[in-house]
Amino acid sequence: MLRRTSLANIALFVAFSLASLSLLKAGFWMFSHQGAIDEAGFDEGVNSTLVFAVSYLWILAIPCLWREFRSQIHLSSGFALILLGLCSFAWSISPVDTIKDSMKLIAIYLLAVSLRSRWSAEAMHLVLLCFSAVILVLSFVTAIALPSYGTAAGVHEGAWQGIFLHKNQFGAFCAISLIVSLCAAGQREHTKTSIVIIALSMVGMLLSRSGNAIVTAVATAWFAFGIFTISRFGRSTDRLLGWLFFTGATVAIFLMAYLAIDVLFDQLQKDRSLTGRTSIWPQAIAGIAESPVWGHGIGAFWSERAYFVNTGESYVIPHAHNGYLDLLLDLGVIGGLAFLAFLSKFIKTHIYRGRMQRGSMLPLTILVFILVANIATSSLFSPNYFLFLLFLLLPRPTASYKRSCP
């Protein structure tokens, strides 16, 4: 699967694992806390330090892998966005915070470029599948054998968090694993492994009690099913009718969900403020209006303004809890247009004349997952989240990978 077995490939896998664990806020450093973490006392200081350390260590690898960087750097996903983010310190309202985020941005971007240059699409899918299996098994073992670390305390007492520092992070990872394994289930050599991961992911999501993860996974599966099914239609007229029917069905589902909104909130253990999000978003929109064209610089707005929200317990807002609002806050309309340009190019790569290309199921489904998840989270353009690394890793299927896909 790997293009060549070497120390460089081993180093890349280790770097990917360390970076992913840091971005997921998971791993051995959860034992630095005594007992499960109460949400009110949740502190990301340890994780931020580790992400920053991994970033610096990875930047030191640039001279060793310069040929890969030079050949791939302009071809990888979101290059214009990355360049714009790096330049944003020039107009940032907090240049120090922007430079810190830029260092992590460079490190994660270069890691993604290296992985894309050395790993084929099928290898990347296999790595994600194996990584998901290992993390899920470790999380289940931790929650069962060490419940003082593997389950949440405080408001969400008893909810599973596995090897993660918060139950929502465990739920989100279960949702990602579910999507990755569903895309691999149709490949004969990965069917059994995929079924096991699907089962673990679904059980893990339910035990994490993460309503956001459940909604994101269901919505992603629905949209991915629509894209996959309609793209298989032969005639353009059939595809047009398929899209009209799918759009109508989606609108009907949203209307039914809206009519039963109180029941859904009760089942997902959410309030109408979406855990304070409805009071955060107006503050974010007001911030966008202050600098609509260029934004405030990456990582600068929330650290500089120190807004707070009160949902029974007051806390400082770390981000907008919406990836699209944070993108506009950081890079303004210019950044939004760069993101739309990336989406357009990506869709043209994987969908030709209304039909999805063979082998494009995984990258398209991951993209849909990222787009849906960022309605309630802020990982669209943040070097502090695993979904951002996945965003940069979205692969272009090779000929051999296309043959292995259904």
Side-chain angles (χ1 to χ4, degrees), residues 287-350:
I288 293 169
E290 293 176 14
S291 181
V293 179
W294 293 100
H296 300 273
I298 60 170
F301 182 79
W302 297 109
S303 61
E304 183 70 15
R305 298 304 175 88
Y307 289 129
F308 73 94
V309 64
N310 192 324
T311 57
E313 295 173 348
S314 296
Y315 60 90
V316 176
I317 303 172
H319 47 71
H321 288 79
N322 181 288
Y324 307 100
L325 291 178
D326 269 327
L327 177 62
L328 293 174
L329 278 170
D330 289 346
L331 301 177
V333 174
I334 301 299
L337 292 175
F339 180 72
L340 289 176
F342 158 76
L343 282 183
S344 176
K345 182 179 179 181
F346 185 85
I347 291 172
K348 287 180 180 178
T349 300
H350 294 280

Side-chain angles (χ1 to χ4, degrees), residues 64-82:
C64 303
L65 298 167
W66 175 246
R67 282 188 298 178
E68 283 82 357
F69 294 148
R70 187 175 57 184
S71 63
Q72 293 285 325
I73 197 165
H74 66 287
L75 298 175
S76 54
S77 304
F79 177 69
L81 269 177
I82 299 296

Side-chain angles (χ1 to χ4, degrees), residues 217-395:
V218 171
T220 301
W222 169 253
F223 285 113
F225 170 77
I227 294 171
F228 180 76
T229 302
I230 295 170
S231 66
R232 290 297 182 98
F233 294 162
R235 296 185 302 176
S236 57
T237 306
D238 293 338
R239 290 196 296 273
L240 177 61
L241 291 174
W243 280 115
L244 290 174
F245 176 80
F246 179 74
T247 303
T250 303
V251 171
I253 291 172
F254 273 110
L255 287 175
M256 288 188 291
Y258 179 76
L259 293 174
I261 193 71
D262 291 327
V263 176
L264 289 175
F265 278 139
D266 289 340
Q267 292 297 318
L268 297 173
Q269 299 181 356
K270 293 286 185 181
D271 56 81
R272 281 186 171 270
S273 71
L274 299 176
T275 323
R277 285 174 174 82
T278 54
S279 63
I280 296 173
W281 291 338
Q283 298 180 58
I285 293 171
I288 293 169
E290 293 176 14
S291 181
V293 179
W294 293 100
H296 300 273
I298 60 170
F301 182 79
W302 297 109
S303 61
E304 183 70 15
R305 298 304 175 88
Y307 289 129
F308 73 94
V309 64
N310 192 324
T311 57
E313 295 173 348
S314 296
Y315 60 90
V316 176
I317 303 172
H319 47 71
H321 288 79
N322 181 288
Y324 307 100
L325 291 178
D326 269 327
L327 177 62
L328 293 174
L329 278 170
D330 289 346
L331 301 177
V333 174
I334 301 299
L337 292 175
F339 180 72
L340 289 176
F342 158 76
L343 282 183
S344 176
K345 182 179 179 181
F346 185 85
I347 291 172
K348 287 180 180 178
T349 300
H350 294 280
I351 298 180
Y352 180 70
R353 293 183 178 179
R355 301 193 69 181
M356 185 177 67
Q357 299 299 294
R358 193 179 182 120
S360 292
M361 190 64 185
L362 176 66
L364 280 173
T365 305
I366 289 178
L367 180 64
V368 171
F369 182 91
I370 292 171
L371 295 178
V372 173
N374 273 277
I375 295 173
T377 60
S378 290
S379 55
L380 190 65
F381 190 67
S382 172
N384 298 308
Y385 292 92
F386 181 65
L387 282 185
F388 179 67
L389 177 59
L390 281 185
F391 169 76
L392 296 177
L393 284 175
L394 291 174

